[in-house]
Amino acid sequence: MTQGYVPFAHGGDWRGLGAYEQKLREAEAGAEALNLPAHSIHIAIEIAALQPELTPAHQYALILLILISMAALQEGSTRFPVTGSKAAEPIRRMLKAFCGSVPIDDAIAAIEALLETNVAQGVVGKTPDEYKPLLYLKPYIYQQRIRSAEAALSAKLANLIRQPAYPALNLSSIREALVDVGDRPRMLHGKPLMLSPEQSAAVQAALTARLTIISGGPGTGKTSIVLAILRVLARLGLASEDIILGAPTGKAAYRIRESFLDGLRQIPNPSATDQALIDNHPDPSTVHRLLGYSSSRDRFLYHRNNQLAHSVLIIDESSMLDLAMMERLLDAIRPDARLILLGDADQLPSVAAGAIFRDLLRTPGRRGEPSNPVALASMRLTRSYRLNQSGTAGTSLAKVSSAVNEGRTEVFDSTAPDGAVAFRDSIEALKFEGVEYLAGLPRASSGLLDRWYHEQVWGDRELHRLAQRDYELDASGGFAAAEQEYLNHLFTCLGRAKILCVTRVLDNGSDWINAAMHRRAAHDLNRDPERTRFFPGEPVIVLHNDYERRLFNGDQGLVLRVRDGSAKRPTSMVVFARDGHFVAFGLDLLREELELCYAMTVHKAQGSEFDAIALILPDKDLPLLTREVVYTGISRARHSAVMIGRPEMLRLAISRKLERYSGLDEMLAMV
């Protein structure tokens, strides 16, 4: 609370100290609306105290400016417009939360006067090299530390792209290797999977350039590109130990491994180098892990003074990398290394500050040329292979994903001629195929959750039996082959569907839905849902990285009854799939690191794929409700996506593109 706070100077434009303190209290109350902790006002006041002898009006304007910079960073922006035409709408949105009884126009005028008069020069610098808490580089306000990190990253990226191509590889050798890979294609359903021209171009770019950025939507063949790169590098004599595969989350890293191993197994006539790659392949890990992060010391083992020895780094789901992590990654790689970033620039960006992957993609300059040197290394994949375009479900998923990505709301108009969306008037009418839309539910109703629980989670009695049986560990601490077969079936079935939410909170957030599904599980087992947090057979998700146990934020597992060789009775354990087998950990060891995962946020679902998803929209407008959330949610589905929510919320989301303010592209154009 701000009780007892005394401004630095009396007088000024505001009517007495009581009115001034009331304004601070209103700003404190508004912090929550912008996802800031209430104590943010105290931090802003302390920073403002670095500038003595301000009038209360200038003090208040400075505090608002500091709060705006904090809220912008919380939203993922590295800078924020506060003056001029670019600021007209954004700053009003911010001040609507903070100003309370103060007219927004008055607050805007006070901020502009503060910046124009330069009375806060001890706190606000006006040139990039000043060491002040804030930098006003017209029309944007930066936090100095963030602007410094962004400038450092732009210099490192430009330096990497300007390095000459890897000298040990020449185009003729690469082409020969590509021809050999093409002569031994993967086979799927009896058909060869050949690289398309755009995929081949991406592979060649990745093999010859220091930095390559490859963006593609769902099913555009990014995994095929990674597989081809690895196969070519093996033919060129590069050892697996010299290659790093990584991703921002453990789930995404696991998916990379499974995808490229599946691809290798689909080669009917593998060469000796292909077989060697199967036997000794790069082991994907999280970016934190490959950089040697220590949670106890809060440090990274690899950095500019102790760089990674590897010469090729391939990072998937790179849209989830934030400014700080990208800078650390660039610090830790050798000057002659090759960095390949893959992802989907249209998905949700990182939770933390920055939209790095999106900023790095090709953007046209004044004459149609790329706007910066890094953009020369970027490319987009446009053709989707994953969806079954010849089938009704695949066609509707492809059409709706594309329409949402382009901001076209008419696809959800019941009179739309292409009929890509099936409109349902009741829960009972849902067929769980293609894209279906159910309008008007105020919350995730019990009828919807009943159908999802019984049809999508538990599709048959056999699953119930497998979820409730006892599993036994052998003397080595692993599961016997027969047990693994049961677990494979159980994990495959229980991982095929997921409810996705925009937020964790509110009546239609993932927390509420998980609790409701837990009650259904308790009813089936005739147990008290309040006394037991996790029942056998329930899906769970890891909340934090646990490097000792090799569990990572976003990893998903199942609670099962497991007995080790010495125990007479089974105990509740959490089982995870890992490296083609399964590992189990005592539930008591992990209890505080887990939560139920019948439903999860769209952010958490990035890097995952499901046969069926249900995307539940909030009942009121939230800052998180954007086009990217809807697109990312739909693109998690292989066969079925059910959209549930009020039409006005859906239209609002699709029409509103996530806006993150960043200076990275401008900086790159100047280096």
Side-chain angles (χ1 to χ4, degrees):
M1 298 296 293
T2 57
Q3 185 174 5
Y5 173 71
V6 179
F8 309 118
H10 300 281
D13 301 330
W14 304 116
R15 296 169 297 170
L17 300 185
Y20 180 86
E21 185 167 327
Q22 178 61 31
K23 292 172 178 62
L24 297 183
R25 289 179 178 275
E26 289 173 349
E28 180 181 38
E32 185 179 3
L34 293 170
N35 294 317
L36 287 176
H39 67 258
S40 299
I41 186 69
H42 300 282
I43 297 173
I45 289 170
E46 291 300 320
I47 295 172
L50 298 173
Q51 184 69 61
E53 303 304 322
L54 287 179
T55 66
H58 283 149
Q59 271 182 28
Y60 178 68
L62 180 56
I63 289 170
L64 287 179
L65 196 62
I66 295 165
L67 287 171
I68 287 170
S69 78
M70 296 167 70
L73 195 62
Q74 181 69 23
E75 291 180 350
S77 293
T78 59
R79 63 181 185 177
F80 198 80
V82 291
T83 59
S85 59
K86 288 185 178 180
E89 189 280 327
I91 197 170
R92 285 184 172 275
R93 176 177 62 83
M94 288 281 193
L95 292 176
K96 182 180 179 181
F98 290 128
C99 281
S101 60
V102 177
I104 291 177
D105 287 337
D106 290 356
I108 291 173
I111 289 172
E112 290 178 346
L114 176 83
L115 295 172
E116 288 171 2
T117 57
N118 207 28
V119 295
Q121 59 184 334
V123 175
V124 184
K126 291 193 174 181
T127 60
D129 56 351
E130 288 187 76
Y131 196 72
K132 307 286 179 63
L134 299 182
L135 297 177
Y136 173 54
L137 306 179
K138 197 172 184 178
Y140 298 101
I141 196 75
Y142 282 88
Q143 290 188 14
Q144 187 276 336
R145 65 186 179 89
I146 299 299
R147 204 272 173 189
S148 177
E150 202 167 61
L153 177 60
S154 69
K156 292 167 187 172
L157 286 165
N159 181 63
L160 184 64
I161 195 68
R162 287 171 176 157
Q163 295 295 320
Y166 197 73
L169 303 179
N170 58 64
L171 286 176
S172 61
S173 299
I174 291 171
R175 285 168 182 157
E176 288 176 10
L178 276 170
V179 168
D180 188 56
V181 167
D183 289 341
R184 302 170 187 272
R186 299 164 55 195
M187 301 292 289
L188 187 64
H189 306 308
K191 296 181 179 180
L193 298 180
M194 309 297 292
L195 290 178
S196 69
E198 67 178 5
Q199 289 174 321
S200 295
V203 172
Q204 289 196 52
L207 292 166
T208 56
R210 294 294 189 193
L211 174 65
T212 310
I213 301 117
I214 303 169
S215 176
T220 51
K222 296 188 293 292
T223 300
S224 294
I225 288 171
V226 172
L227 178 61
I229 291 170
L230 292 173
R231 294 180 69 193
V232 170
L233 288 175
R235 283 160 171 77
L236 295 171
L238 198 66
S240 293
E241 293 78 10
D242 208 22
I243 304 169
I244 280 180
L245 287 178
T249 67
K251 178 67 174 179
Y254 177 76
R255 271 193 56 223
I256 298 171
R257 181 187 184 281
E258 293 304 296
S259 296
F260 84 74
L261 282 180
D262 283 346
L264 287 171
R265 297 185 187 109
Q266 291 165 355
I267 302 169
N269 59 335
S271 67
T273 52
D274 290 329
Q275 189 58 52
L277 196 57
I278 294 172
D279 297 336
N280 183 29
H281 53 78
D283 188 18
S285 70
T286 65
V287 176
H288 272 81
R289 186 173 180 83
L290 70 87
L291 293 180
Y293 179 69
S294 168
S295 56
S296 60
R297 300 171 61 195
D298 194 24
R299 285 187 176 184
F300 291 85
L301 175 62
Y302 297 104
H303 44 75
R304 72 184 70 178
N305 298 318
N306 181 36
Q307 294 179 323
L308 292 159
H310 307 75
S311 60
V312 178
L313 292 87
I314 303 173
I315 309 298
D316 198 16
E317 297 291 349
S318 294
S319 64
M320 300 167 69
L321 289 173
D322 59 47
L323 173 63
M325 188 52 62
M326 185 68 84
E327 188 191 5
R328 290 190 181 103
L329 184 63
L330 267 291
D331 258 348
I333 66 175
R334 291 169 13 193
D336 62 343
R338 190 174 312 131
L339 178 61
I340 303 163
L341 303 175
L342 301 101
D344 184 350
D346 296 316
Q347 283 189 29
L348 287 165
S350 60
V351 176
I356 307 302
F357 191 74
R358 185 182 299 177
D359 287 344
L360 296 182
L361 280 177
R362 189 187 306 274
T363 53
R366 292 182 181 177
R367 298 182 181 179
E369 297 296 326
S371 61
N372 63 65
V374 175
L376 291 167
S378 68
M379 58 192 68
R380 284 182 180 265
L381 306 173
T382 57
R383 182 180 174 187
S384 177
Y385 301 89
R386 189 185 75 189
L387 298 176
N388 178 14
Q389 298 291 330
S390 62
T392 303
T395 301
S396 64
L397 281 164
K399 286 182 177 179
V400 174
S401 294
S402 177
V404 169
N405 194 30
E406 295 167 7
R408 294 189 283 112
T409 59
E410 66 272 14
V411 71
F412 284 97
D413 186 339
S414 59
T415 61
D418 59 9
V421 177
F423 295 85
R424 307 302 186 197
D425 56 8
S426 68
I427 294 166
E428 292 72 25
L430 290 172
K431 296 183 178 179
F432 299 116
E433 59 184 36
V435 181
E436 301 174 280
Y437 177 50
L438 180 59
L441 285 181
R443 62 161 61 183
S445 71
S446 59
L448 171 69
L449 296 186
D450 282 341
R451 281 204 67 186
W452 193 268
Y453 181 83
H454 292 293
E455 296 177 34
Q456 297 298 324
V457 180
W458 301 109
D460 56 56
R461 292 182 179 274
E462 175 65 10
L463 282 183
H464 268 290
R465 186 187 70 80
L466 291 178
Q468 299 305 315
R469 75 183 292 273
D470 296 346
Y471 292 84
E472 189 164 341
L473 295 171
D474 58 26
S476 66
F479 292 97
E483 301 279 69
Q484 298 239 36
E485 187 176 340
Y486 291 140
L487 290 170
N488 268 321
H489 182 66
L490 187 60
F491 270 69
T492 298
C493 292
L494 291 183
R496 66 191 173 193
K498 196 70 65 179
I499 296 175
L500 304 182
C501 306
V502 174
T503 179
R504 292 183 56 171
V505 298
L506 307 178
D507 286 346
N508 40 27
S510 58
D511 287 351
W512 187 90
I513 292 173
N514 281 323
M517 300 294 267
H518 182 64
R519 290 192 292 272
R520 284 164 174 76
H523 179 269
D524 280 357
L525 298 171
N526 197 26
R527 303 276 294 276
D528 184 350
E530 303 300 326
R531 298 188 62 180
T532 304
R533 189 175 169 197
F534 303 113
F535 295 123
E538 290 200 293
V540 292
I541 188 170
V542 176
L543 302 178
H544 307 288
N545 291 334
D546 183 338
Y547 293 94
E548 181 181 350
R549 296 182 178 90
R550 291 181 60 201
L551 296 175
F552 304 102
N553 182 11
D555 283 354
Q556 297 174 49
L558 293 174
V559 176
L560 297 170
R561 287 199 299 263
V562 180
R563 178 174 52 239
D564 63 32
S566 60
K568 294 182 179 179
R569 301 182 61 184
T571 60
S572 290
M573 301 187 78
V574 190
V575 179
F576 297 92
R578 176 185 294 170
D579 300 338
H581 62 281
F582 296 90
V583 294
F585 300 96
L587 180 58
D588 290 339
L589 295 175
L590 301 178
R591 191 179 299 274
E592 300 308 314
E593 305 299 318
L594 302 171
E595 66 182 14
L596 288 167
C597 195
Y598 294 99
M600 63 198 306
T601 64
V602 176
H603 259 110
K604 285 275 191 183
Q606 288 190 100
S608 299
E609 294 178 1
F610 307 99
D611 286 347
I613 66 99
L615 178 60
I616 299 179
L617 301 177
D619 208 26
K620 62 181 181 180
D621 187 17
L622 297 173
L624 293 170
L625 189 60
T626 64
R627 179 185 310 172
E628 288 81 359
V629 163
V630 179
Y631 170 77
T632 304
I634 293 174
S635 62
R636 300 307 89 206
R638 298 188 189 97
H639 306 300
S640 164
V642 177
M643 311 283 293
I644 300 159
R646 290 162 48 193
E648 59 268 32
M649 290 296 101
L650 181 58
R651 286 193 295 269
L652 174 64
I654 297 173
S655 65
R656 183 164 63 193
K657 191 168 178 62
L658 177 68
E659 186 68 74
R660 284 200 172 180
Y661 298 95
S662 163
L664 183 61
D665 188 60
E666 292 176 13
M667 292 180 187
L668 287 168
M670 297 169 60
V671 295

